[in-house]
Amino acid sequence: MKKELTRQQYLDLYYFMRLNRAVEDMMVKLFRQNKIVGGLYSSLGQEAVSVGTAYALEKKDWLAPMIRNIGALLVKGVPPRDIFMQHMAKYDSPTKGKDGTSHFGDLQNLHIVSPISMLGDLIPVMAGVAIAGRYLGQKIVAMTWIGDGGSSTGVFHEGLNFAAVQKAPFVLILENNQWAYSTPVKRQVPLENLADRAKAYGISSYTVDGNDVVAVYRAAKEAVDRARNGAGPILIEVKTFRRLGHAQHDPAEYVPKEMRAYWEARDPIALYEKFLSNEKLLDEKSKKETEEKIESLLSAERDFAENSPLPPAEFAAEGVYCTGDDCHQVAPKWERPIAEVMPPQSSVTAVWTVPGFGSGKSSGGGSAPIHFGDTQKRDEKSAPPTDEKPKDSEVPEAVAETIEAADAKPAKTAAKVALKPVAKTPAKVPVKTPVNARAKNKPKKSTKPAMVSSKSQARKARR
């Protein structure tokens, strides 16, 4: 850990990590009291990841948390009571009791996009948020998280590739907590560093100790600043450990005891307390004051959540579908002149250049010259204009003039000239012919007079 933040920033990181753990400890108690109706997912041992990354964002920036990112919600300003009520499906919760887990957001004030259960789907969504912010001139950065298992989904690659091509101001946090439910990371990814996935998309990446909150913050802050200044998306792999099972129902007996013991000795809060103590930023008195502050806060927040009513039965059919402005209003917030992104200012010439493949034009401008391998590249300047006919050097000049004169006459008015008249023949009488004799007979020419145009006669004359 390096000392380069202000005293208050160091203490903020400590406070939010302690608050993150205390909120989850209280929810475990509520879960065991059967007061939490949905699933409960722990981030024990991963607090430094959510807190350190979210703390690097500005107020105007956007984030989309996953199930183990309660710390990010707290940093963004979500009160603990909303988290409690959401999991208890209370009427005063952000979703009015219609969801029993972490699926809620705040688009208007805190700029939080609700989690999506399908792992990886938040990546293209947040890439789109980042691009939209740039389009509106807001100069924002969007951030979301994904686990080591989720990085093997197809939408992870599709979304990251899309963000890379569009140079979106987007930061993706890849939480490598060693386990995808019960599958160890080495059994599902043949890589030592998952940050290497970024190479496939030509974007920058970092690998950082996810149990060192200051290191996490520093990497995230640098990535956020770079993304904001036009460097495109950045991938950060944080190496950490999921100390509990996938959820409360999972005892995680598949985790080797030695592995669990190693990571428990590297508890991020204990490590940070030691750092703060060595740097004379935290003593026993201030530590106790922080604990009492959090305990008092959560006691009041829990009481509020428990006293909140359950949603009335008649509310079940409401809010299922968005009905427009009476449901919620989301309008673009322009921070640049709209004319900048409208024609003619936003117009571009329909010409593209691909190194090694020449330059291409729009469909009305002719075919694109192509340079491939050792093939000589076509010189556009020496190419004849498209409105001139190329002359064939092998055709005599006199013949060429005759061709042009013939082509100049309209086809419909071409005079028809009859060849030598042929006498009319009486109607044929069918005659039986032996089979062997038919084979010897040759097909007869038509007796009808042939009519040809003067153009045809001119062509015959040339031959």
Side-chain angles (χ1 to χ4, degrees):
M1 297 183 183
K2 293 183 179 180
K3 185 177 178 180
E4 55 186 35
L5 286 75
T6 66
R7 174 186 173 83
Q8 189 57 50
Q9 286 176 319
Y10 281 117
L11 295 178
D12 283 348
L13 292 174
Y14 178 66
Y15 171 78
F16 283 118
M17 280 204 296
R18 291 295 304 265
L19 181 62
N20 183 169
R21 182 165 295 184
V23 165
E24 292 192 4
D25 287 345
M26 183 160 289
M27 285 202 295
V28 170
K29 295 176 183 177
L30 294 171
F31 182 86
R32 292 175 179 173
Q33 294 170 3
N34 212 27
K35 294 179 180 179
I36 286 183
V37 300
L40 185 60
Y41 307 89
S42 173
S43 66
L44 180 66
Q46 298 179 222
E47 294 90 350
V49 175
S50 295
V51 172
T53 52
Y55 196 75
L57 296 173
E58 296 181 9
K59 185 177 180 180
K60 64 181 179 180
D61 293 332
W62 287 71
L63 61 77
M66 288 297 291
I67 55 176
R68 306 190 200 283
N69 300 123
I70 283 179
L73 294 174
L74 296 170
V75 171
K76 252 299 190 176
V78 176
R81 66 175 62 181
D82 282 0
I83 299 172
F84 294 153
M85 290 188 295
Q86 180 69 18
H87 285 77
M88 298 166 75
K90 293 299 186 77
Y91 186 64
D92 294 323
S93 71
T95 59
K96 301 295 182 183
K98 288 186 178 291
D99 183 85
T101 55
S102 56
H103 300 100
F104 73 96
D106 183 347
L107 303 180
Q108 292 288 354
N109 301 312
L110 300 181
H111 297 171
I112 299 173
V113 175
S114 172
I116 300 176
S117 294
M118 285 64 71
L119 299 180
D121 279 25
L122 278 173
I123 297 172
V125 169
M126 296 309 288
V129 169
I131 295 168
R134 180 176 62 194
Y135 182 79
L136 295 171
Q138 296 176 354
K139 208 169 178 60
I140 63 164
V141 173
M143 177 184 288
T144 191
W145 293 258
I146 190 70
D148 48 273
S151 72
S152 295
T153 60
V155 72
F156 169 91
H157 300 278
E158 294 170 6
L160 203 52
N161 182 71
F162 171 68
V165 170
Q166 298 296 328
K167 293 187 73 68
F170 170 60
V171 177
L172 177 61
I173 311 301
L174 201 169
E175 295 186 77
N176 183 356
N177 63 13
Q178 314 302 317
W179 294 91
Y181 204 119
S182 59
T183 303
V185 66
K186 293 298 183 182
R187 294 288 296 273
Q188 54 116 353
V189 180
L191 294 172
E192 180 178 352
N193 297 314
L194 299 184
D196 289 344
R197 290 189 184 277
K199 295 178 181 178
Y201 316 108
I203 64 174
S204 299
S205 64
Y206 298 81
T207 299
V208 63
D209 179 0
N211 286 28
D212 182 343
V213 68
V214 175
V216 172
Y217 166 77
R218 289 176 60 243
K221 186 68 169 66
E222 182 176 325
V224 167
D225 290 345
R226 289 180 59 191
R228 197 186 310 278
N229 292 325
I234 296 175
L235 175 66
I236 301 177
E237 178 194 3
V238 286
K239 294 183 182 291
T240 183
F241 182 72
R242 192 195 73 202
R243 284 167 54 181
L244 294 179
H246 176 70
Q248 286 295 309
H249 63 270
D250 175 22
E253 294 175 347
Y254 43 80
V255 177
K257 294 180 180 179
E258 298 78 7
M259 173 182 266
R260 188 186 302 278
Y262 170 81
W263 284 99
E264 286 179 349
R266 303 193 70 256
D267 180 88
I269 294 180
L271 289 176
Y272 194 47
E273 286 179 344
K274 184 177 180 180
F275 167 79
L276 293 176
S277 178
N278 291 339
E279 296 294 333
K280 310 299 182 184
L281 296 171
L282 182 71
D283 54 23
E284 286 300 321
K285 180 182 177 181
S286 55
K287 179 181 175 181
K288 186 176 181 180
E289 289 174 352
T290 301
E291 292 172 350
E292 291 175 349
K293 177 182 178 181
I294 291 174
E295 184 179 352
S296 176
L297 170 66
L298 295 189
S299 177
E301 297 289 272
R302 181 199 59 209
D303 291 344
F304 183 94
E306 289 189 308
N307 292 326
S308 175
L310 291 170
E314 58 270 19
F315 182 66
E318 297 181 18
V320 179
Y321 299 100
C322 178
T323 54
D325 289 344
D326 58 336
C327 172
H328 65 277
Q329 296 182 0
V330 178
K333 298 178 181 179
W334 290 93
E335 296 186 12
R336 71 190 297 182
I338 301 179
E340 290 182 1
V341 293
M342 300 293 287
Q345 290 190 39
S346 66
S347 301
V348 294
T349 306
V351 175
W352 65 93
T353 301
V354 180
F357 289 84
S359 300
K361 301 176 183 177
S362 61
S363 58
S367 59
I370 296 177
H371 172 58
F372 196 46
D374 295 330
T375 307
Q376 185 177 1
K377 185 176 181 181
R378 175 182 168 189
D379 186 2
E380 284 192 0
K381 294 182 180 179
S382 63
T386 55
D387 58 344
E388 290 185 12
K389 283 189 175 181
K391 292 186 178 181
D392 192 344
S393 59
E394 296 181 0
V395 180
E397 186 177 349
V399 176
E401 291 176 359
T402 305
I403 294 173
E404 291 178 2
D407 289 343
K409 295 180 181 180
K412 291 184 179 179
T413 59
K416 294 185 178 180
V417 180
L419 296 179
K420 228 174 181 184
V422 180
K424 292 183 179 180
T425 57
K428 293 183 179 179
V429 179
V431 180
K432 291 184 178 180
T433 308
V435 178
N436 294 337
R438 291 176 195 168
K440 296 179 181 179
N441 293 337
K442 295 181 179 179
K444 294 183 178 181
K445 293 183 178 179
S446 172
T447 57
K448 293 182 180 180
M451 304 296 290
V452 296
S453 65
S454 58
K455 187 185 290 186
S456 301
Q457 285 185 331
R459 289 174 182 160
K460 286 185 178 181
R462 296 187 206 112
R463 296 185 188 133

